[in-house]
Amino acid sequence: MSSDADVSPAEVVLGFVEEAEPWRLRSPQFPSKVGGKPAWLSQTGLPSLPELECEICRLPMVFLLQVYGPISSQDRSFHRTLFLFCCKTPECYTRNDSRCMKVFRSQLPRRNEFYSFEPPPEEEPPSDPEQDQSVLPVSGVKLCWVCGCPGNKACSRCHTVTYCGKHHQTLHWKDTHKKECCSGQKASTVTTSPFLFPESELVTEPEEEEGEEEEEEEGNKEDTTEAEGGQQDTHRVVDCPSLADGLPEGDLEEMAMHETEDNKVFQRFKKKIASEPHQVLRYSRGGSPLWVSSQHIPSDQDIPPCTCGARRIFEFQVMPQLLNSLCVDSTGASIDWGTLAVYACSDSCNHDNHYCPEVIWKQDFSTDQHTLSKHA
């Protein structure tokens, strides 16, 4: 996300997906992007294979997106990127369960061993046809052909391709490597693995703020509408014999109030994104997420502090609209979320120059909202 990501807590920067030339999405350009392979920032201290596994099914996760968010007031964070990974097993996406996702932070000072001190060029630099895309150029870290994550496991026949593990080696073998292996032709480094999400750039623009007077007026209007809707919800619940016969009156009233509050939060979400319905990301370091539901909102205690001892603060959220760009819809189980809120160390510590795990909070839509959510 360009250097304007160092924003005040009150400011929100919106992210949108756009097509881009491949060279603009590589590490020396410090991109914000969705899909493809990670454009790693630091070339050392990358996440290990166990760190990149889904905590539910234990299969390797796939790269979802990265957000470039430097902190101009910190020399150690002159370059700073957060990387988000997710599982591709639809059954792992249970309600409000974040274990199928992980996020890591990497940062570098302006003067470092991997990139020029000067800003990246605006024009495409000359390409080196001999450069091996499966190895990071300075550190020599080998990468998995399938996912672009660290991979030292080489094909036992040709020894020219490396993988993060047996699972991705099998995927590549079935896809193209069975024909390429030991045939004399080099394994294609350009062909995109079907395991990856479609690649695109994340471009940003500031969110236009609404007038306070208009917001207050709309809020009052919403409250009136919500109250009326709440009464309708209560009547609907009471009129349902299966619920009315089985629940005390107090529980029914509590249920109706909960539905009203949940609807209020969802309407606020829809109203906020209405002017820019294609936004896939909201960045506001130190700000607050835009929740889709009144359920499963974290308290301060739910977000653990960083290992350095500093508290973690909200940095950005991924919107459900991104799912439309990932081609993951299916009639059965599917990769899904309401919103993904990312919290990172408020001090942006160095963590011994390793990629630092941060916190991701997955909130799903309530059942009634789910059908409308992707088309909101």
Side-chain angles (χ1 to χ4, degrees), residues 144-352:
C144 174
W145 186 93
V146 173
C147 65
C149 295
N152 290 317
K153 182 179 177 62
C155 172
S156 58
R157 294 181 65 186
C158 65
H159 303 285
T160 59
V161 188
T162 55
Y163 305 98
C164 61
K166 188 70 176 177
H167 182 67
H168 283 180
Q169 182 176 7
T170 303
L171 286 180
H172 189 204
W173 180 261
K174 292 178 178 179
D175 183 33
T176 58
H177 195 55
K178 185 175 183 179
K179 297 176 182 178
E180 298 168 342
C181 188
C182 300
S183 66
Q185 63 181 93
K186 187 178 179 181
S188 172
T189 56
V190 178
T191 304
T192 303
S193 166
F195 177 74
L196 302 175
F197 291 125
E199 189 175 40
S200 55
E201 186 176 12
L202 267 176
V203 297
T204 60
E205 62 180 53
E207 181 179 50
E208 293 185 9
E209 295 184 18
E210 297 176 348
E212 290 184 12
E213 187 175 332
E214 177 189 344
E215 198 168 329
E216 185 177 342
E217 182 182 335
E218 285 294 324
N220 293 336
K221 183 179 176 183
E222 267 184 27
D223 289 344
T224 306
T225 307
E226 307 294 347
E228 293 172 356
Q231 292 174 358
Q232 293 170 358
D233 284 348
T234 306
H235 294 150
R236 178 172 56 81
V237 173
V238 172
D239 289 342
C240 176
S242 60
L243 289 175
D245 294 344
L247 291 173
E249 187 177 341
D251 288 352
L252 290 172
E253 291 177 359
E254 184 179 344
M255 183 185 297
M257 288 295 292
H258 179 78
E259 288 183 0
T260 302
E261 178 61 27
D262 202 44
N263 187 49
K264 185 175 182 178
V265 172
F266 184 53
Q267 292 303 324
R268 187 183 303 128
F269 172 83
K270 290 205 300 179
K271 176 178 178 290
K272 192 69 175 174
I273 68 172
S275 60
E276 295 288 357
H278 299 297
Q279 59 184 277
V280 300
L281 185 128
R282 297 175 64 86
Y283 186 100
S284 182
R285 185 170 185 265
S288 301
L290 179 63
W291 299 112
V292 301
S293 170
S294 62
Q295 304 172 43
H296 198 59
I297 293 177
S299 65
D300 290 342
Q301 290 71 36
D302 288 325
I303 306 299
C306 180
T307 52
C308 74
R311 69 186 181 97
R312 284 189 169 100
I313 58 174
F314 172 72
E315 183 137 351
F316 68 87
Q317 70 184 101
V318 182
M319 306 296 278
Q321 290 89 327
L322 180 63
L323 291 162
N324 297 325
S325 304
L326 301 181
C327 306
V328 293
D329 281 341
S330 64
T331 52
S334 178
I335 296 173
D336 201 9
W337 60 75
T339 193
L340 308 173
V342 171
Y343 295 80
C345 176
S346 56
D347 286 347
S348 205
C349 65
N350 262 344
H351 203 70
D352 298 326

Side-chain angles (χ1 to χ4, degrees), residues 354-370:
H354 280 73
Y355 279 66
C356 179
E358 297 290 10
V359 171
I360 186 165
W361 188 271
K362 175 172 160 292
Q363 185 195 50
D364 288 304
F365 291 101
S366 66
T367 307
D368 293 340
Q369 298 163 353
H370 191 269

